[in-house]
């Protein structure tokens, strides 16, 4: 431990835990927030800092499997689990192959169970349960799902189960997933002792932009943890672990904790003393510490980074008669997933197989373009790429719902128009890149080219809005920033035309009579079905008028939907600009406004950046 720091100890007596042979030894191993990064983490997460500033190159499931094997060696009672966000990430092989590569890797590493993170709800609960857990194929088998795995077998689903205690069906009040699970360990004389696990998902998942599900509602984390701790205790379970997909930050040394803050830390101080360890995730942070429970007894409070950076190991000693945790002998260590071991060949072959499969599939031609689409904005705030995205959103808002859709409660009424944020004042744009013509391939659009061009994990939503809300959203494109008039343009679908007054003040630039939808002037008192990204509809990119909506319906996620749109169109041709027209441009006070800069939403390797999940967003939280 000289290089990585002293492990967290409940008391000084824990130093002698190895000799405490009268107790039942239990090893808890966990990882979190893998997000499908099987080969390596993003460059910014590939090096972590330990005690004394020591740095370690980490990542990759082949090395992770090797470290897991070494840690498990000789341990009779070892449990391997994860507090969420294992799949639904932004690594191209995993995300474009329905995250089936991630599940195969986790099956091969012997994951016992997992907490559902917010991103496990990125599709629908039906997708997580029916496809990811049970392996049921759906429409598009072989193209959108149910790919042959590294052994040639059709995707069988997970060998482990997902749990969550605080995500409910809104109508019935029943939990979407089982709330707790009990694992049994071997004690002396063949005696079996139970360990209970409570599972929490970060609140706000059901209203976040990536997990938006009107059929769901959530319970308070602390109240839920305490309720199930009492229930487990009443059933004779005397060792209890909380696995929660919510986190904290506690310094830069991954094997200690400094000035901890965050919702998981607040919960750790207040949660029932019957809970013996708290394992967290979601914030992509790393810390390892002991925090006193309300009775003053220390218990582990840990987070193990993200993207296969490390493995946390908690060692519990149980009383062989009561099954209670002897807290004074508890230890916890974050082990970096270093590259100084021989990578596990089985996991290396698995990761390499899926990387090659995705590369070949990514090169598949799915359409053709006749000219380049660019994000470059003209003075009116239009671009050919923006118009393409708005037309895609209108199309997406008329498509059938996800084949495993269980997250919607309203009828799927097709959209009347679409708005897409091109350069919002806050947050990302759904458009990542230009769609540049490649003359050497006669304008072929490959799967990967389309996947990279649009999307960061947001579904298109359709919702009912008033004409007044549409008008107000168009007005909110302009806002004063100090003495500067800024312009955050919205692209409109092909059936919309509008004119704005270049000499008007912010908030008084658009006349409803000058907004035409299918040739008819906008009626402020009428209702319309609008298609836009979830991020925009929940008000996350500063068009607050669109918060005034009803009957929202979630459609397919952006990158999957845009790929399907390109396939459906077969040939893409840039539409002429002119959907937005300024007037009074020669007036004395005419001003279009300073266009907002185009946000970059791709990583250095041209994969979409992690989406900030609406209400869950913030530094380090995904």
């Amino acid at each position: 431990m000289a290089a990585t720091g002293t492990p967290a100890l409940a008391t000084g007596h824990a130093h002698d835990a190895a000799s405490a042979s009268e107790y039942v030894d239990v090893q808890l191993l966990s990882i979190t927030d893998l997000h499908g990064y099987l080969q390596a983490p993003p460059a910014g997460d590939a090096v972590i800092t330990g005690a004394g500033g020591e740095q370690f190159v980490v990542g990759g499931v082949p090395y992770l499997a090797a470290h897991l094997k070494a840690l498990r060696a000789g341990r009779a009672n070892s449990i391997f689990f994860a507090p969420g966000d294992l799949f639904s990430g932004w690594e191209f092989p995993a995300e474009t192959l329905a995250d089936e590569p991630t599940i195969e890797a986790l099956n091969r590493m012997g994951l016992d169970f997992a907490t559902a993170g917010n991103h496990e709800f990125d599709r629908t609960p039906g997708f997580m349960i029916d496809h990811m857990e049970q392996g049921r194929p759906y429409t598009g088998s072989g193209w959108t799902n149910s790919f042959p795995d590294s052994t040639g077998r059709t995707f069988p689903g997970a060998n482990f189960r997902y749990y969550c205690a605080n995500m409910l069906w809104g109508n019935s009040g029943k939990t979407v997933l089982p709330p707790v699970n009990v694992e049994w360990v071997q004690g002396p004389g063949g005696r079996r002792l139970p360990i209970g696990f409570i599972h929490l998902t970060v609140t706000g998942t059901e209203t976040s932009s990536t997990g938006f599900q009107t059929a769901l509602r959530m319970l308070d984390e602390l109240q839920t943890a305490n309720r199930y701790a009492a229930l487990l205790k009443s059933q004779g379970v005397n060792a209890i672990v909380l696995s929660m997909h919510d986190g904290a930050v506690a310094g830069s040394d991954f094997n200690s904790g400094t000035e901890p803050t965050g919702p998981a830390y607040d919960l750790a101080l207040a949660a029932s003393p019957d809970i013996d360890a708290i394992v967290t995730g979601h914030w992509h942070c790393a810390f390892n510490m002991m925090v006193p429970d309300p009775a003053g007894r220390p218990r582990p409070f840990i987070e193990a980074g993200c993207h296969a950076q490390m493995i946390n190991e908690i060692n519990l000693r149980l009383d062989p008669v009561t099954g209670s945790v002897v807290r004074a002998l508890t230890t916890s260590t974050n082990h970096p997933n270093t590259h100084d071991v021989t990578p596990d060949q089985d996991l290396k072959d698995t990761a390499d197989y899926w990387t090659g499969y995705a590369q070949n599939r990514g090169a598949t031609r799915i359409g053709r373009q006749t000219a380049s689409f660019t994000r470059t904005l003209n003075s009116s705030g239009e671009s050919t790429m923006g118009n393409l995205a708005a037309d895609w959103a209108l199309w997406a808002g008329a498509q059938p719902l996800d084949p495993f859709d269980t997250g919607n409660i309203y009828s799927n009424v097709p959209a009347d128009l679409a708005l897409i944020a091109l350069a919002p004042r806050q947050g990302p744009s759904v458009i990542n890149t230009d769609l540049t013509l490649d003359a050497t391939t006669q304008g072929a659009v490959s799967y990967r080219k389309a996947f990279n061009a649009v999307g960061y994990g947001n579904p298109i939503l359709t919702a009912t809005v008033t004409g007044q809300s549409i008008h107000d959203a168009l007005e909110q494109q302009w806002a004063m920033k100090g003495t500067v008039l800024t312009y955050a343009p919205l692209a409109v679908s092909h059936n919309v035309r509008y004119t704005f007054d270049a000499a008007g003040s912010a908030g008084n630039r658009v006349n409803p009579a000058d907004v035409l939808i299918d040739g008819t002037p906008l009626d402020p008192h009428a209702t319309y079905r609008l298609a836009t990204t979830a991020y925009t509809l929940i008000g996350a990119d500063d068009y607050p008028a669109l918060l005034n909506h009803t009957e929202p319906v979630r459609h397919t996620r952006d990158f999957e939907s845009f790929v399907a749109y390109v396939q459906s169109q077969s040939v893409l041709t840039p539409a002429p600009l002119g959907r937005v027209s300024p007037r009074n441009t020669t007036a004395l006070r005419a001003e279009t406004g300073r266009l907002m800069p185009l946000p970059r939403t791709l990583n250095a390797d041209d994969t979409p950046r992690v989406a900030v999940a609406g209400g869950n967003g913030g530094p380090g939280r995904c």
Side-chain angles (χ1 to χ4, degrees):
M1 296 303 298
T4 57
T6 303
L9 307 171
T11 70
H13 298 294
H15 278 296
D16 303 318
S19 63
S21 58
E22 68 270 31
Y23 300 112
V24 178
D25 181 71
V26 178
Q27 179 190 58
L28 305 179
L29 300 174
S30 66
I31 60 172
T32 191
D33 291 84
L34 178 62
H35 285 295
Y37 283 93
L38 304 187
Q39 291 283 16
D45 294 327
V47 177
I48 59 174
T49 303
E54 180 101 13
Q55 293 191 320
F56 304 86
V57 176
V58 295
V61 296
Y63 296 101
L64 191 71
H67 284 290
L68 281 168
K69 184 177 181 180
L71 288 168
R72 287 165 165 162
R75 305 300 290 265
N77 295 313
S78 182
I79 299 171
F80 176 35
F81 68 101
D85 277 10
L86 297 175
F87 71 82
S88 195
W90 296 266
E91 177 72 340
F92 184 80
E95 193 63 273
T96 59
L97 297 171
D99 280 293
E100 293 173 14
T102 308
I103 298 300
E104 183 183 0
L106 294 168
N107 284 345
R108 291 184 176 278
M109 287 189 288
L111 187 72
D112 291 307
F113 55 88
T115 305
N118 57 298
H119 285 297
E120 264 90 15
F121 288 98
D122 275 357
R123 287 283 293 264
T124 71
F127 174 80
M128 175 169 46
I129 296 167
D130 292 346
H131 186 65
M132 303 310 279
E133 283 193 338
Q134 300 176 11
R136 285 180 52 201
Y138 55 90
T139 304
S141 180
W143 171 252
T144 63
N145 70 100
S146 300
F147 303 101
D149 69 12
S150 64
T151 67
R153 182 177 58 166
T154 300
F155 179 63
N159 294 338
F160 55 91
R161 295 281 75 86
Y162 273 98
Y163 297 87
C164 177
N166 65 327
M167 182 69 82
L168 309 181
W169 294 113
N171 290 335
S172 69
K174 295 180 179 179
T175 57
V176 174
L177 298 165
V180 299
N181 64 302
V182 175
E183 302 293 316
W184 295 84
V185 298
Q186 296 297 321
R191 182 178 176 85
R192 300 173 70 239
L193 301 173
I195 301 179
F197 291 82
I198 304 167
H199 304 268
L200 298 178
T201 303
V202 58
T203 53
T205 294
E206 83 288 16
T207 56
S208 71
S209 66
T210 58
F212 191 96
Q213 313 272 350
T214 54
L216 306 179
R217 67 180 177 89
M218 299 197 73
L219 299 176
D220 177 79
E221 293 176 1
L222 178 60
Q223 293 177 5
T224 304
N226 287 346
R227 172 191 172 195
Y228 282 102
L231 178 63
L232 287 168
K233 194 76 172 179
S234 71
Q235 295 176 347
V237 179
N238 293 324
I240 301 174
V241 176
L242 175 60
S243 174
M244 63 182 298
H245 193 73
D246 202 352
V249 60
S252 60
D253 176 355
F254 64 78
N255 228 357
S256 67
T258 305
E259 298 181 355
T261 60
Y265 178 67
D266 295 338
L267 183 144
L269 295 174
S272 168
D274 291 332
I275 296 172
D276 297 294
I278 299 175
V279 179
T280 75
H282 183 54
W283 279 38
H284 292 198
C285 292
F287 52 83
N288 178 40
M289 56 193 298
M290 294 287 171
V291 172
D293 67 21
R297 297 187 304 155
R299 58 188 172 191
F301 174 61
I302 71 95
E303 187 165 336
C306 61
H307 305 149
Q309 291 175 322
M310 63 193 71
I311 304 164
N312 175 261
E313 178 187 22
I314 294 174
N315 286 294
L316 304 178
R317 270 73 185 188
L318 308 186
D319 183 289
V321 177
T322 67
S324 299
V325 174
V326 182
R327 291 273 192 95
L329 299 180
T330 298
T331 65
S332 176
T333 308
N334 273 338
H335 298 281
N337 180 25
T338 55
H339 295 178
D340 56 354
V341 297
T342 302
D344 182 272
Q345 190 62 47
D346 184 35
L347 267 296
K348 184 179 185 304
D349 291 344
T350 300
D352 289 346
Y353 166 80
W354 286 114
T355 298
Y357 194 103
Q359 287 175 345
N360 290 336
R361 186 165 178 267
T364 302
R365 173 176 170 157
I366 63 170
R368 183 173 68 85
Q369 62 186 109
T370 61
S372 292
F373 295 80
T374 72
R375 297 186 301 156
T376 303
L377 300 172
N378 66 10
S379 60
S380 298
E382 274 193 282
S383 70
T384 52
M385 196 67 196
N387 287 350
L388 176 66
D391 292 345
W392 150 68
L394 182 64
W395 174 90
Q399 299 309 300
L401 300 180
D402 188 300
F404 281 142
D405 176 60
T406 51
N408 284 308
I409 60 174
Y410 299 111
S411 298
N412 181 19
V413 179
D416 298 309
L417 75 158
L419 299 175
I420 289 292
L422 300 180
R425 268 178 287 272
Q426 63 186 43
S429 169
V430 74
I431 304 172
N432 297 319
T433 67
D434 297 340
L435 199 61
T436 306
L437 177 72
D438 183 356
T440 63
T441 62
Q442 291 76 52
V445 179
S446 69
Y447 182 100
R448 184 158 196 157
K449 187 174 184 179
F451 176 89
N452 285 346
V454 170
Y456 58 92
N458 245 224
I460 288 293
L461 298 187
T462 52
T464 298
V465 297
T466 64
Q468 186 65 51
S469 292
I470 294 172
H471 167 263
D472 292 348
L474 294 176
E475 291 282 14
Q476 287 164 359
Q477 296 174 105
W478 292 273
M480 297 301 298
K481 190 173 183 180
T483 60
V484 177
L485 179 68
T486 62
Y487 181 24
L490 291 162
V492 298
S493 50
H494 63 81
N495 61 330
V496 178
R497 299 289 185 275
Y498 79 91
T499 302
F500 68 88
D501 186 353
S505 59
N508 189 30
R509 295 198 136 204
V510 180
N511 186 331
D514 293 333
V515 180
L516 303 180
I517 301 173
D518 291 318
T520 302
L522 180 71
D523 181 353
H525 304 290
T527 59
Y528 301 83
R529 288 296 286 182
L530 171 70
T532 188
T533 64
Y535 199 79
T536 296
L537 203 66
I538 66 174
D541 50 13
D542 202 25
Y543 304 97
L546 298 181
L547 286 168
N548 300 315
H549 64 265
T550 59
E551 300 183 340
V553 173
R554 173 198 169 103
H555 294 262
T556 306
R557 290 182 299 179
D558 43 25
F559 37 66
E560 294 157 329
S561 178
F562 187 72
V563 165
Y565 174 72
V566 174
Q567 290 174 303
S568 74
Q569 300 301 298
S570 182
V571 178
L572 301 177
T573 298
L577 301 182
R579 298 177 187 182
V580 181
S581 303
R583 60 184 174 84
N584 288 336
T585 55
T586 60
L588 183 62
R589 299 183 60 184
E591 184 181 8
T592 301
R594 178 182 296 175
L595 289 165
M596 302 303 294
L598 295 173
R600 178 168 173 79
T601 50
L602 289 187
N603 292 311
D605 60 356
D606 285 335
T607 57
R609 284 185 180 173
V610 170
V612 176
N616 297 330
R621 283 170 272 179
C622 295

